[in-house]
Structures are given as structure tokens and as C-alpha cells.
Amino acid sequence: MGSIPSLTLNNGNTIPQFGFGVFQIDPADTVKATRLALEAGYRHIDTAQMYGNEREVGQAVAESDLDRSEVFITSKLNNGYHEPADARRAFDGTLEALGTDYVDLFLIHWPLPTRYGGDYVSTWNTLIEFYREGRARSIGVSNFQPHHLRRLHEETELPPAVNQIEVHPYFTQDDVRAFCREHQIAVEAWSPIGQGLVLDDPTIVSIARRLDKTPAQVVLRWHIQHDHIVFPKSVTPERIAENIDIFDFELSSQDSEAISALDRGQRTGPDPDTFDMIPE
């Protein structure tokens, strides 16, 4: 397995381009799965307040043989805590749960334009506080569309370092990615294999067979070659090891373009312009 590359964010900090996601991993399984990922070479763990497993991620890191500085930890603000005072309390809770005095990256999980009077700007300014204090080494957003990002660009002093969005071959979000590229905002891809939808696609299967790789490995490699930061999820040891084994081959430009051409505008998750769920 080749080494995992890092990308430099717009604030000068670096981020491992490949990591381990713990979305929908039961807290009871999170410690073991995260430990397996760390043992397999993952050094970037993506969690969120909404996932309910920050404490278990922190436990897995603490129980590993790795120093805290060797593991890049991302978490995200829950939808019910966008008011500045609530965001501050929630962020303190994240640090306590993770057992650390800083996170490497902290994100607004959803813009929620139909909630809070459409004011995600004051929420972003609160994250800027965490960044200025050094308790969040980098800050960013998730599921923000260009018009959401434009408001932050026009009304605040600090642009997001990252925008974590749904991206996969059936939903390439070219407009969002182009805006992020223009404004030096790194793109993180969630649902990188479209919740499995793309794995049976004939184009991807054909490329995988020719390269003696799995369809998932081909799609993850496509993400890497598009400079996306990606963090697939699994609780299966074999799959955890397989997912990270993508740094010993490259896709040709023709193969990469063929995968990109599969875009059909097919979301697997909610629309950021209408999503307004606040978990109980």
C-alpha cells in the first residue's frame, strides 16, 4: 500500500486525503471499527455530534499506540445547536466526548436555510471563535451550496477550509465543486460510492476487472484523482483494509472521464436547500 497523500487547506494546515467515516456505525461497534481502521493505516477519522459516537472515537484513539497529534479528527455541529450560545456548549461537549482539547476540523453539518431565520452566518462566526482560540485547528461547512458559501464569503472574515458534500459518480455536483475550487475550499465527499448504487455500474465494473481492483477501489481512486477528501465507512476488517488499498494504481484520464460521465444528478441524501431535521 502506498502512502496516503495530504492536501494543504487554505489556512496552511494539512489534511489526510483519505480517512475513516463512522456515520451509521453503532456506538457499541465504533471503538472496535475505529481501532481496526487505525491499525490498517487510517489517520483521519470523521465523526459528528449527530452520529452519537464521538466518545467512542475518542476512546479508540486513546487506546491506540498513536499520539493524538498523529490522528486527524473531524466532527460537526448538530442541527439543534446553531444559536451561538448553543454552539459553544455543543463544541465544549464534543471536546469532552473526544477526550481532547482540540479538533483538527469542525464543521457546520447542514446550512438549515429554513431554520433560525436563515441565519447560518452567526453560526459560522461562532466557529471562527473556536478557530481563533485554537480549539478547532481548521473549520468548515458541510452540505453548503454555492449561494450558501457566497454569503459566508461576503459577510464574514474567514472562508471555510472545507465543504463536505455528497459526491459520487452518479452525483458529481460540478457546480459546487467548481465554486469550491475557485475559492480554495477543499471538497470532502460523503456517500463516495453512492451508498453502493454505483458499484454495479457496467462502466465501473469493466474498469475494475481490467485493473484487477474492486469497483469500490476504482471509485475511491476516482475521488482521490479529483482531489476529493474521502472517508468510506465499514465495520468489516477485510473491507476496511480493502478500501485503503488504492494508492498502488492510477486511473487513466480516459477511465476517469468515463466515470465522471456517469453523472445523472442522483442524490442519495437530502437536499440542503430544504433539509431542516433537528434530531430529538
Side-chain angles (χ1 to χ4, degrees), residues 7-15 124 131 138-139 158-162 180 183-186:
L7 299 180
T8 300
L9 301 175
N10 59 20
N11 63 359
N13 291 336
T14 58
I15 183 171
W124 177 246
Y131 175 71
S138 299
I139 54 174
L158 193 72
V162 162
C180 290
H183 293 86
Q184 292 78 54
I185 300 170

Side-chain angles (χ1 to χ4, degrees), residues 117-260:
D119 179 19
Y120 44 80
V121 174
S122 64
T123 311
W124 177 246
N125 281 326
T126 307
L127 265 64
I128 291 177
E129 291 178 17
F130 307 152
Y131 175 71
R132 302 287 191 209
E133 294 163 354
R135 297 193 299 153
R137 300 289 173 87
S138 299
I139 54 174
V141 295
S142 183
N143 301 298
F144 274 50
Q145 301 296 290
H147 55 280
H148 304 135
L149 294 167
R150 196 168 288 111
R151 275 194 67 189
L152 300 186
H153 181 74
E154 293 172 352
E155 299 178 31
T156 72
E157 297 180 354
L158 193 72
V162 162
N163 187 19
Q164 184 178 126
I165 57 174
E166 179 179 355
V167 180
H168 51 79
Y170 285 175
F171 191 60
T172 57
Q173 295 226 68
D174 293 348
D175 57 336
V176 185
R177 295 190 300 118
F179 185 95
C180 290
R181 185 165 53 249
E182 180 184 351
H183 293 86
Q184 292 78 54
I185 300 170
V187 170
E188 294 188 327
W190 65 260
S191 192
I193 58 174
Q195 297 188 17
L197 286 176
V198 305
L199 299 184
D200 294 326
D201 186 275
T203 295
I204 292 170
V205 170
S206 175
I207 294 170
R209 286 175 177 163
R210 175 158 39 80
L211 296 176
D212 195 25
K213 291 291 182 179
T214 68
Q217 288 172 323
V218 166
V219 174
L220 293 171
R221 184 68 207 183
W222 172 83
H223 281 287
I224 292 295
Q225 290 182 208
H226 279 79
D227 292 328
H228 304 157
I229 300 156
V230 65
F231 28 84
K233 176 211 78 174
S234 179
V235 296
T236 306
E238 294 78 14
R239 186 63 55 80
I240 290 172
E242 175 187 288
N243 285 340
I244 200 173
D245 188 22
I246 60 170
F247 297 101
D248 60 350
F249 77 104
E250 290 189 7
L251 299 174
S252 68
S253 59
Q254 293 87 349
D255 285 344
S256 183
E257 290 167 7
I259 295 171
S260 297

Side-chain angles (χ1 to χ4, degrees), residues 44-48 72-76 105-107 164 188:
H44 178 177
I45 310 298
D46 181 89
T47 184
F72 191 104
I73 300 177
T74 296
S75 194
K76 311 175 194 74
L105 178 63
F106 195 67
L107 310 177
Q164 184 178 126
E188 294 188 327

